[in-house]
Amino acid sequence: MSSTVEREPAHVVIKRPRRMPIPLLGWVGIVVVAFWLIMAVFGPMLTPHPAGEVIDPDGFGPMVPGMWLGSDVLGRDVLSRIMAGAQTTVGPAIAATLLAVFIGGTLALAAAAVGGWIDTALSRTMDAVISVPSLLFGLVAVAALGVSVPVLICTAGVIYVPGAFRIWRSLAVNVNAMDYVSVARERGEGMPYIMRREILPNLLGPVLADCGLRFVFAVLLLSSLSFLGLGIQPPDADWGSMVRENLPGLIYGAPAAIFPAAALATLTIGVNLLVDNLPGRER
Amino acid sequence: MSPKNGYSSSGVTPRLAPADDAALRDAIRRGATRRQLLAWCGGLGLGAAAATPLIGSARAAVAETPQRGGKLRVAGATASTTETLDPARGTDSTDYSRHYMFYNGLTTLNEALAPQPTLATSFETNDATTWVVKLRSGVQFHDGSPLTAADVVYSLARHKDPATGSKVRAVAMQMADIKATGKNEVTITLSGPNSDLPVILGVSHFLIIKNGTKDFSTANGTGPFRCKSFEPGIRSIAVRNENYWKPGQPYLDEIEMVGIPDSAARVNAALSGDIQLAAAMPVAAARQLERAPGLKIMETKGGTYTNICMRLDQAPTDNLDLVLACKYLFDREQIRRTIFRNYAVIGNDQPIDPTNRYFAADLPQRPYDPEKAKFHLAKSGFGSSLSVTVSPAAFASEDIAQLWQQSAKAAGLDLTLRRVPADGYWTNQWMKHPVTFAATNARPTADLILSIYFKSDAPWNESGWKSPKFDQLLVAARGEQDHAKRKQMYADMQEMISNEAGVGIPVFRSVLDAHSDKLKGLRPVPLGNLMGYTFPDNVWLTA
Amino acid sequence: MRPALAVTGFLLKRLLFAAGTLLAVSLAVFAATEILPGDVAGAVLGQSATPEALAALRASMHLDLPASVRYLHWLGGMVTGDVGHSLVNNRPVSELIGSRLPNSLLLAGAATAFCVPIGLLLGICSAMRPTSVFDRVTSVATLSIVAVPEFFIGTLAVLVFAVNLRWFPALTLSPRIDSVEGFFRSMTLPVLSLSGIIIAQIMRMTRAALLDVLRRPYVEMARLKGVVGARLVLFYALPNALGPIANALALSLSHLLGGAIIIETIFNFPGLAKLLVDAVSTRDMPLVQACTMLFCLAYLILGTLADIAGMLANPRLRAS
């Protein structure tokens, strides 16, 4: 963290990035994300009850010992289902986000660095892709490729590629117009070098902020796609789907309606605090 | 209290003179407050203690006598651009309800699914094959033209033309000949005897439209309401038909019907008072709705069910022992309690429910029995995992399948669930895999449900079950006019289905409607929600 | 080249490309509806579809013609301004869309008017004082709102404000613009439920893009010259950050017109997103196409506006 935090409104203190310690909120993000990553790996083995077993036949039960977070719409243990659901939520959402950002980002850098008709072609293609309704896209994916987790990840990834592309490109064309990029170009540097070494490091901040949000959307998109039948199959459920299926319990204030949403909230807040406070990021 | 002004006292509830009683009821209808009513009774020399029961009984009487006036806002459980004012094409409960606002049928089905004369005044037959239908005279369409035999012939015959896109074409095909035999008389000749014709013609698809109607952008029927506006998938507004042939009816001035497909939104709209009648409440919200002030729940029991179709013509479910093992592994009690919150009746793997007069009550109930299932499973030699296709298209199929998956573990049967989109489910998935789910709506007669879903050559013979003996019984029962004999035939058929067909029916679910306690006249009709969709000319609002 | 001239040329080029993009999208959508199993005849007949009934209905809808002929027929109609009739209910597509487009525009407009100023303001304030308490609180608060699914927030809002407090109706059956009170009664809950995610998106992108620019040498130079505070941010940094901010705006706003499906579901709001979902599930090609074309057009317009804003704001891009 910068050592001189300005208190007076009249000044803005901006320091060049340098090796800085991670601030408290960053640590919070790291701890939360690490917790859920561990849960994603070991959660399904640690559940107090099997995630599909009915332990309370009346459903929407309260929080009692042995059923610490109550029971869900079908009388299953909410705690166990959240623990088991970490795997089906965190993994695919991160994979889909990375996929979207990797493809969208690479294409955007290429478009900005090369320019000309490649830029035009890529940009217009992305416009077209984003304009195809994602419902249609999901349904075609199910029909053509069947239902499996890799198909789920790819579909969610591809749906978010154009969005990532648009943001990255708009940032990259600004950087591309900078003198130091022109200098590198004059130097005769290759295109991959310019993309990776000159442009990329200079748009990292906004791009990471975008990634964090895109991750949130990916989590929710997964639950919509699960609803279409793409990917995660019952009795397993991702957290978004758990919120959805237990929503009727909200009028009773059933814990089953609240805790999956809370788990989702901690995960997305954690991820965003983490990317916002990565060392070397301007804050 | 001293007897004066003609009131008797001496401990019994005081009574009002008829004129005063009418005045009191009138005041209540106009929405007088309790305080105003007490003051009014005071004017007659009654104290609060004497007036309170009087007001109470007057209120109850007012509540039970139909009243005219008022606007009703109804929420149907579906909304889609497929909505239509063509009764033949009606796709869902919102459509059906709407059609009963604008049209009448030849008959209407009552609480016992018995046909009541409506546009027809009589159905006469000697052999259940040739039927002479006498039509009511003096009935007018909304455009002012009178109802004639030609309208009825047109309305019925068009179902047979495939281009009409009728939902009941298969049923209509048995009407081999439909002709006008008088100004107010139609003769229908069936291809074979069927004692149920007056019942069949009571469903919404057979409602009567004006001869020659091709354009359904608005509705020209004989029904209690006229169509003021209709936007498919959004709403319709129906206003009172002043020339309706039922004297004094309809009671309401206007019905606005909106489709609210999201069940949570429907519940919230009912709770907040935005709508006065809401179809198909989710059972999970029933407890809350029952507690809510000013709201009531109406439970309609009937033959609506979600079933499992195990194909007898596809491996591995072509093995009857595996099918039986599966049927023994439904924990029906748990399905009823956990998924349907007890708003359901245990089923016995046959499609005739206890409200039907042909229900076979003597058929032994199949229990949840993992031991028997183990026996059949071992006999079948099936050792791998069984894939089960579920979909949001088949109501509650995901929930039933998940409980089934758990209860099947007790016999060591491993079920793998495969969830597919609701989109295109009925054309691409249903019956196309060894084990799929289906949701079946109540039908008005035992014959219909058995013909549609169990006859060997039926297009929706869900398990691919072929039994010539069953087919013979089905045709024989259709023409049988002796009730006892007919009942025995249906009982035999139910036993055959339960033991031989590949269809599992764990429970019959009730349908729940929520309504304002000011809405009166609703009764359950086992065909479906909202009085079997026939609420429009039966309900009224109290002040 | 003068900016006005550059923009005109740019616009003309974009117009040409827009036509191409629309054509490509319509082809893709047509192909998708063809690939998907099931057709509109099956959707109309539903569970009661028999092979002969399907064949008859298909013939009456001209589905028996080759796909290329049907596409060209549709395209021909489109070019001459006839968007066709819905296959499932035979009503003009223009009428179906016409009854819902004003509602969707109203929702999108109200949400934009509410979210954009708030998002920009929060983003700029946060960027001016990064790491301050204000920045931290805003950041965590917006994240918390985004982190909860829209359908959860919407349902909760209905339970609290419509069912318990009865301040607002639970449904928005017909959004009202005839009176200020009617407008607020019918639109407040849908707009609030939508706004969380949009405000967060705008706020985060504004903050990040501004911070990114604020550490550029030219800003440091300006500061050394004595430009400070709001002036520095608004006049020196903001123009250079406008491109990415405008693009983030375009992305989230284009989503408002056709992507508000969750809000439309919760409030039973008669908008375009539901119409599209319906049309897709019934394979009603003319309706799917018309909705998609409309959304695509909106997206292209917003995207072009964003690109123009980015170009005009950045002198270096303007020059090229």
Side-chain angles (χ1 to χ4, degrees), chain B residues 185-266:
Chain B
E185 189 185 280
V186 174
T187 302
I188 301 172
T189 312
L190 302 182
S191 52
N194 190 342
S195 328
D196 289 332
L197 184 68
V199 185
I200 293 171
L201 294 180
V203 302
S204 76
H205 296 109
F206 286 113
L207 292 171
I208 302 302
I209 60 175
K210 180 79 199 153
N211 186 10
T213 308
K214 289 259 190 295
D215 171 23
F216 289 94
S217 55
T218 186
N220 180 23
T222 59
F225 294 88
R226 292 163 184 275
C227 179
K228 185 174 159 197
S229 74
F230 169 58
E231 298 168 80
I234 304 180
R235 72 164 69 70
S236 65
I237 294 176
V239 293
R240 178 207 297 277
N241 173 11
E242 297 292 351
N243 298 326
Y244 194 44
W245 55 272
K246 284 191 196 172
Q249 277 173 283
Y251 306 117
L252 298 165
D253 290 337
E254 187 180 304
I255 302 179
E256 177 180 359
M257 178 133 197
V258 292
I260 309 183
D262 185 56
S263 64
R266 223 153 53 237

Side-chain angles (χ1 to χ4, degrees), chain A residues 1-2 5-17 23 25 120 123-133 135-136 139-141 143-144 162-164 166-167 169-171 173-175 177-180 182 201-210 212-214 216-217 220 223-224 240-241 243-245 247 250-251 257-258 261 264-266 268-269 272-273 275-277 280-283, chain C residues 13-14 17-18 21 24-25 28-29 32-33 35-37 127-133 135-136 139-140 143-144 146-152 155-156 159 197 200-202 204-205 207-209 211-212 214-218 220 223 228-230 232-233 239-245 247-248 250-251 254 262 276-278 280-281 283 288 292 295-297 299-300 302-304 306-307 310 314 316-317:
Chain A
M1 196 190 292
S2 137
V5 177
E6 271 301 329
R7 296 290 172 210
E8 289 155 50
H11 294 273
V12 179
V13 171
I14 311 285
K15 292 271 176 187
R16 301 288 301 166
L25 279 179
T120 309
S123 297
R124 294 321 122 213
T125 310
M126 288 298 161
D127 283 352
V129 173
I130 205 174
S131 297
V132 175
L135 169 70
L136 210 51
L139 287 175
V140 170
R166 186 162 258 284
I167 300 287
R169 184 188 164 280
S170 70
L171 289 160
V173 291
N174 274 345
V175 175
M178 292 286 170
D179 294 332
Y180 56 80
S182 311
N202 286 298
L203 42 79
L204 219 48
V207 145
L208 280 172
D210 180 62
L213 274 188
R214 220 151 276 285
V216 181
F217 299 150
L220 297 179
S223 82
S224 320
S241 304
V243 177
R244 206 186 284 270
E245 70 185 11
L247 209 55
L250 201 58
I251 49 176
I258 295 157
L264 212 53
T266 57
T268 50
I269 293 174
N272 279 283
L273 288 180
V275 298
D276 279 1
N277 294 287
R281 283 281 312 279
E282 197 61 58
R283 288 182 300 275
Chain C
K13 224 162 65 186
R14 269 299 173 89
F17 284 128
T21 307
V25 170
V29 167
T33 48
I35 290 170
L36 283 182
M128 276 169 67
R129 289 192 267 160
T131 73
S132 69
V133 176
D135 177 38
R136 293 297 189 213
S139 150
V140 174
L143 278 179
S144 313
V146 181
V148 186
E150 240 173 348
F151 56 86
F152 186 87
T155 308
L156 196 64
L159 280 175
I197 212 153
Q201 237 171 338
I202 298 172
R204 284 178 63 80
M205 195 30 88
R207 177 183 180 276
L211 283 182
D212 199 46
L214 279 171
R215 70 186 163 113
R216 300 255 169 90
Y218 83 93
E220 206 132 349
R223 194 170 31 239
V228 287
L232 181 77
V233 171
N240 263 312
L242 211 56
I245 295 175
N247 272 286
L251 273 180
S254 68
I262 291 168
L276 174 69
V277 170
D278 251 22
V280 168
S281 69
R283 310 278 186 275
V288 177
T292 312
F295 300 154
C296 184
L297 204 61
Y299 172 78
L300 290 178
L302 285 167
T304 308
D307 286 343
N314 189 332
R316 288 171 196 262
L317 292 179

Side-chain angles (χ1 to χ4, degrees), chain C:
Chain C
M1 210 194 295
R2 294 215 332 272
L5 216 62
V7 169
T8 318
F10 171 82
L11 270 182
L12 277 177
K13 224 162 65 186
R14 269 299 173 89
L15 213 61
L16 212 70
F17 284 128
T21 307
L22 284 171
L23 192 71
V25 170
S26 78
L27 253 174
V29 167
F30 185 82
T33 48
E34 288 294 305
I35 290 170
L36 283 182
D39 67 1
V40 59
V44 167
L45 289 172
Q47 234 176 317
S48 58
T50 54
E52 53 169 350
L54 277 175
L57 203 58
R58 273 187 196 130
S60 75
M61 292 169 170
H62 306 297
L63 292 181
D64 46 355
L65 298 175
S68 54
V69 174
R70 278 180 287 132
Y71 177 74
L72 288 176
H73 181 257
W74 172 82
L75 194 65
M78 200 69 179
V79 171
T80 54
D82 171 19
V83 289
H85 282 67
S86 156
L87 291 175
V88 299
N89 58 26
N90 223 6
R91 292 184 168 231
V93 167
S94 52
E95 180 190 312
L96 291 171
I97 288 188
S99 74
R100 304 196 191 217
L101 180 62
N103 299 339
S104 280
L105 284 176
L106 191 67
L107 183 66
T112 306
F114 180 71
C115 298
V116 173
I118 296 182
L120 285 177
L121 199 69
L122 289 179
I124 292 172
C125 291
S126 297
M128 276 169 67
R129 289 192 267 160
T131 73
S132 69
V133 176
F134 173 83
D135 177 38
R136 293 297 189 213
V137 170
T138 324
S139 150
V140 174
T142 44
L143 278 179
S144 313
I145 295 171
V146 181
V148 186
E150 240 173 348
F151 56 86
F152 186 87
I153 295 204
T155 308
L156 196 64
V158 171
L159 280 175
V160 173
F161 296 109
V163 173
N164 286 322
L165 297 174
R166 304 231 170 172
W167 290 354
F168 302 103
L171 303 174
T172 309
L173 296 172
S174 48
R176 295 184 35 198
I177 45 168
D178 48 356
S179 71
V180 177
E181 194 237 335
F183 175 79
F184 277 102
R185 260 184 73 75
S186 60
M187 298 298 286
T188 303
L189 287 186
V191 168
L192 277 185
S193 312
L194 259 180
S195 59
I197 212 153
I198 300 173
I199 291 180
Q201 237 171 338
I202 298 172
M203 179 254 156
R204 284 178 63 80
M205 195 30 88
T206 307
R207 177 183 180 276
L210 267 180
L211 283 182
D212 199 46
V213 175
L214 279 171
R215 70 186 163 113
R216 300 255 169 90
Y218 83 93
V219 177
E220 206 132 349
M221 189 68 84
R223 194 170 31 239
L224 290 176
K225 283 183 177 165
V227 186
V228 287
R231 205 172 123 75
L232 181 77
V233 171
L234 290 180
F235 296 100
Y236 287 74
L238 192 58
N240 263 312
L242 211 56
I245 295 175
N247 272 286
L249 267 176
L251 273 180
S252 30
L253 297 186
S254 68
H255 175 81
L256 275 178
L257 193 63
I261 180 67
I262 291 168
I263 296 304
E264 289 186 16
T265 305
I266 292 174
F267 295 97
N268 215 51
F269 188 95
L272 287 174
K274 267 207 300 212
L275 192 64
L276 174 69
V277 170
D278 251 22
V280 168
S281 69
T282 53
R283 310 278 186 275
D284 194 349
M285 196 272 292
L287 196 54
V288 177
Q289 290 282 22
C291 290
T292 312
M293 294 294 101
L294 200 64
F295 300 154
C296 184
L297 204 61
Y299 172 78
L300 290 178
I301 292 173
L302 285 167
T304 308
L305 287 178
D307 286 343
I308 293 175
M311 275 169 53
L312 289 183
N314 189 332
R316 288 171 196 262
L317 292 179
R318 215 180 315 164
S320 62

